[in-house]
């Protein structure tokens, strides 16, 4: 039997990301922050471009340590704009630092970024059944609400479409195609997380 993947997987790097990470429920604040930054950086670019620069991003953004990134100064921004290992877009770089500070506020008020983010799906992943990934929406009412809530905390590059891609990436929504070999595992992981409080 051939192992079938979602039809958007078109390279080795995408296959690895798809098989190991995409759609797997994540409640780790550092990983959630990383995905928020990367999804924002992707705006107008391909996900392959971002994946190819992921190691550069981890090095440039202190491995996505929220408190460290929140302390970045304008000098850091100038250095990052010159760093070819990431997307050299001043607005996106400044947004990542700004968003780290917003996440600190969210953590202070909600206990963790995970508690806040996952509250939008009642702590339980949404399980979709798409025959083709092309049927998946670009945004939903939930991604609209998440986008608005993040913007209230001052987050940038968190429009509804970016938020929906973020939700897919961290497993808040399982958009693996019905024929995809990874779908069942993500469904099972979603059920496992249902009975415990995210903390």
């Amino acid at each position: 039997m051939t192992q079938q993947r979602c039809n958007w997987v078109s390279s080795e790097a995408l296959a690895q990301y798809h098989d190991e990470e995409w759609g797997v429920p994540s409640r780790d604040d550092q990983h959630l922050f990383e995905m928020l930054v990367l999804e924002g950086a992707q705006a107008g670019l391909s996900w392959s471009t971002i994946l190819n620069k992921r190691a550069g991003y981890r090095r440039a953004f202190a491995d996505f340590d929220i408190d460290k990134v929140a302390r970045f100064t304008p000098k850091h921004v100038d250095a990052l704009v010159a760093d070819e290992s990431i997307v050299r877009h001043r607005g996106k770089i400044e947004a990542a630092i700004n968003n780290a500070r917003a996440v600190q506020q969210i953590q202070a008020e909600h206990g963790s970024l995970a508690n806040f983010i996952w509250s939008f799906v009642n702590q339980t992943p949404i399980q979709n059944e798409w025959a083709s990934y092309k049927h998946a929406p670009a945004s939903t009412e939930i991604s609209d609400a998440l986008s608005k809530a993040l913007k209230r905390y001052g987050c940038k590059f968190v429009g509804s479409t970016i938020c929906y891609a973020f939700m897919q990436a961290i497993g808040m929504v399982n958009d693996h195609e019905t024929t995809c070999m990874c779908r069942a595992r993500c469904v099972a992981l979603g059920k496992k997380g249902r009975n415990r409080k995210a903390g």
Side-chain angles (χ1 to χ4, degrees):
M1 192 181 101
T2 53
Q3 298 261 290
Q4 204 169 337
R5 293 186 172 97
C6 294
N7 67 20
W8 55 265
V9 177
S10 56
S11 70
E12 272 307 306
L14 283 173
Q16 186 180 358
Y17 170 69
H18 169 274
D19 295 358
E20 294 171 13
E21 195 173 346
W22 194 74
V24 174
S26 171
R27 289 181 167 83
D28 174 271
D29 275 15
Q30 200 162 333
H31 178 248
L32 296 178
F33 176 60
E34 175 179 5
M35 296 316 294
L36 202 58
V37 171
L38 295 180
E39 292 292 355
Q42 191 212 338
L45 302 167
S46 74
W47 186 242
S48 292
T49 300
I50 300 303
L51 275 187
N52 291 337
K53 291 181 177 286
R54 194 172 191 179
Y57 266 94
R58 285 180 170 164
R59 190 173 56 251
F61 286 95
D63 224 8
F64 293 100
D65 181 306
I66 294 160
D67 295 333
K68 283 183 182 165
V69 176
R71 289 196 296 271
F72 278 16
T73 63
K75 265 191 184 155
H76 282 100
V77 175
D78 290 340
L80 290 170
V81 170
D83 188 339
E84 291 182 3
S85 67
I86 65 168
V87 176
R88 293 157 60 187
H89 181 296
R90 187 176 288 272
K92 290 177 178 179
I93 290 164
E94 288 174 343
I97 298 164
N98 171 76
N99 290 358
R101 293 168 189 155
V103 166
Q104 285 180 318
Q105 194 185 339
I106 290 168
Q107 288 174 322
E109 288 180 26
H110 297 271
S112 70
L113 178 60
N115 277 340
F116 174 72
I117 295 284
W118 280 89
S119 69
F120 287 84
V121 290
N122 201 16
Q123 306 296 340
T124 306
I126 294 163
Q127 306 294 344
N128 286 326
E129 294 189 8
W130 309 118
S132 164
Y133 180 74
K134 293 184 178 83
H135 299 158
S139 62
T140 62
E141 283 181 17
I142 294 174
S143 69
D144 291 350
L146 178 59
S147 170
K148 282 189 188 121
L150 287 169
K151 284 176 181 172
R152 273 198 295 275
Y153 279 97
C155 288
K156 296 190 169 74
F157 282 93
V158 288
S160 188
T161 302
I162 289 172
C163 281
Y164 192 73
F166 170 72
M167 288 168 60
Q168 291 174 314
I170 64 157
M172 282 173 73
V173 55
N174 182 0
D175 272 348
H176 282 287
E177 292 170 358
T178 47
T179 53
C180 177
M181 64 185 190
C182 295
R183 187 173 185 280
R185 179 172 62 106
C186 289
V187 170
L189 288 167
K191 285 181 180 150
K192 210 185 330 186
R194 185 180 300 170
N195 304 323
R196 62 180 187 86
K197 274 257 186 283

